[in-house]
Amino acid sequence: MVEELVVAGVTLVSAGAVYAMAAARVVKQYERGVVFRLGKLRPDVRGPGFTMIVPGIDKLRKVNMQIVTMPVPGQEGITRDNVTVRVDAVVYFKVTSPAEAIVRVEDYRFAVAQMAQTSLRSIIGKSELDELLANREKLNQGLELMIDSPAVEWGVTIDRVEIKDVSLPETMKRSMARQAEADRERRARVINADAELQASKKLAEAAKEMSEQPAALQLRLLQTVVAVAAEKNSTLVLPFPVELLRFLERAQPAVAPAQPAEPVAPPTARQPVQEQLPSPAPRPDPAPEESNSRQD
């Protein structure tokens, strides 16, 4: 009799241990447990720690409550200004309602991924190329709203969305590089022209001041010579001052000596030959008869 009682006790203890092992569950700190009893959702969500379920009747599903980082594959599209681009992004989301995330959608991760891809293509079609390149913060907010609207019904909240990269065709990259280069060249020319204008005004004022004091021009010339002479690898050609030439011209009549008389050239050999030539014969006077007839 005692042996039967011992065997029965051992059997009950073993069955209880097996039942406890089958019913025991452990939920981690970043998880929540959703219990289905005979296929029906239980209203209470099991928190982190040790919990028990009815083996064979209850089924526990654990839902991760951490923020999930999901990369969105690159999507090709045509912008509003007819430029083909390829854009990829990343979505940060988390589950706020474990029961709805399990009941309302079959796989909330796959659903969020598909919604993110569709919204990204829609954003590409509604935006221009300059907005995609320069105004990403606004596009990120619009993309977050587009994904978050249906995700709220699934018990998922979109934390943030970031556009990672915008890939352009090589021809478009070259065109944009030429445009940027031309713009920089235009600005450089404008700056140079402005500098020339300011320099011309300053030079005109300096010339006006120097015209009143001629010695200032000589001082400026000497300063230029000193600046050029500092470099020992160049040849310096110093021009002769014009003012010194004018001073010499004014002083020349007072100090110039009397010039000697020009020497008389000796007669050449041709002069005697010209003197020996016969003189022309005198022309005979007209007959007196002819003169009388002209007087009559």
Side-chain angles (χ1 to χ4, degrees):
M1 186 67 182
V2 176
E3 295 179 355
E4 294 179 354
L5 292 175
V6 171
V7 172
V10 171
T11 303
L12 290 176
V13 171
S14 300
V18 171
Y19 179 82
M21 294 177 61
R25 295 290 186 275
V26 175
V27 181
K28 297 180 181 180
Q29 181 66 35
Y30 56 85
E31 294 178 339
R32 297 294 183 271
V34 180
V35 179
F36 291 90
R37 178 166 295 176
L38 297 177
K40 186 177 181 180
L41 177 67
R42 298 290 297 172
D44 55 336
V45 177
R46 306 296 174 88
F50 181 80
T51 185
M52 298 288 291
I53 61 174
V54 179
I57 298 177
D58 293 345
K59 184 178 181 180
L60 179 68
R61 291 191 61 178
K62 300 177 182 179
V63 181
N64 192 341
M65 303 296 290
Q66 292 177 317
I67 296 177
V68 180
T69 303
M70 178 180 292
V72 181
Q75 303 296 314
E76 292 186 356
I78 300 177
T79 60
R80 193 167 59 183
D81 50 353
N82 299 325
V83 178
T84 303
V85 296
R86 182 181 180 86
V87 182
D88 55 354
V90 59
V91 180
Y92 302 89
F93 68 94
K94 61 181 179 180
V95 177
T96 56
S97 179
E100 293 181 355
I102 297 298
V103 175
R104 289 183 176 273
V105 63
E106 181 180 2
D107 187 354
Y108 65 89
R109 290 175 178 264
F110 180 75
V112 172
Q114 294 300 315
M115 180 58 64
Q117 296 179 22
T118 305
S119 301
L120 184 58
R121 287 194 295 267
S122 178
I123 284 292
I124 293 173
K126 294 179 180 179
S127 305
E128 295 183 357
L129 180 60
D130 294 338
E131 295 179 358
L132 288 175
L133 297 177
N135 197 9
R136 292 189 181 183
E137 191 66 28
K138 182 179 179 181
L139 296 178
N140 293 339
Q141 295 177 0
L143 189 59
E144 180 180 348
L145 291 176
M146 293 180 66
I147 302 175
D148 189 63
S149 298
V152 172
E153 300 179 359
W154 306 335
V156 178
T157 301
I158 305 299
D159 188 67
R160 63 185 304 175
V161 181
E162 294 288 342
I163 295 177
K164 294 196 299 183
D165 188 21
V166 178
S167 301
L168 299 175
E170 292 297 329
T171 55
M172 179 59 64
K173 290 182 180 179
R174 289 194 294 268
S175 300
M176 294 178 65
R178 288 195 299 268
Q179 180 183 0
E181 183 179 358
D183 186 49
R184 288 193 297 268
E185 185 177 357
R186 178 184 62 83
R187 286 183 292 178
R189 289 184 178 180
V190 170
I191 293 174
N192 288 334
D194 191 12
E196 291 293 338
L197 177 60
Q198 296 179 6
S200 62
K201 292 181 179 179
K202 294 299 181 181
L203 289 175
E205 294 178 1
K208 183 178 179 181
E209 294 293 333
M210 289 181 180
S211 63
E212 298 177 358
Q213 298 292 335
L217 183 60
Q218 297 301 323
L219 293 176
R220 182 57 183 160
L221 177 60
L222 293 176
Q223 291 177 357
T224 305
V225 170
V226 171
V228 174
E231 300 292 336
K232 298 182 180 181
N233 57 353
S234 60
T235 302
L236 180 62
V237 179
L238 182 63
F240 196 76
V242 179
E243 284 74 7
L244 184 58
L245 289 177
R246 292 177 180 175
F247 174 76
L248 294 177
E249 289 178 358
R250 290 193 299 268
Q252 184 176 3
V255 299
Q259 297 182 358
E262 296 181 359
V264 179
T268 59
R270 292 183 182 180
Q271 290 180 357
V273 176
Q274 292 179 359
E275 293 177 355
Q276 294 177 2
L277 292 177
S279 58
R283 187 176 179 182
D285 295 334
E289 296 178 358
E290 295 179 359
S291 59
N292 292 333
S293 61
R294 290 180 182 175
Q295 291 177 1
D296 295 338

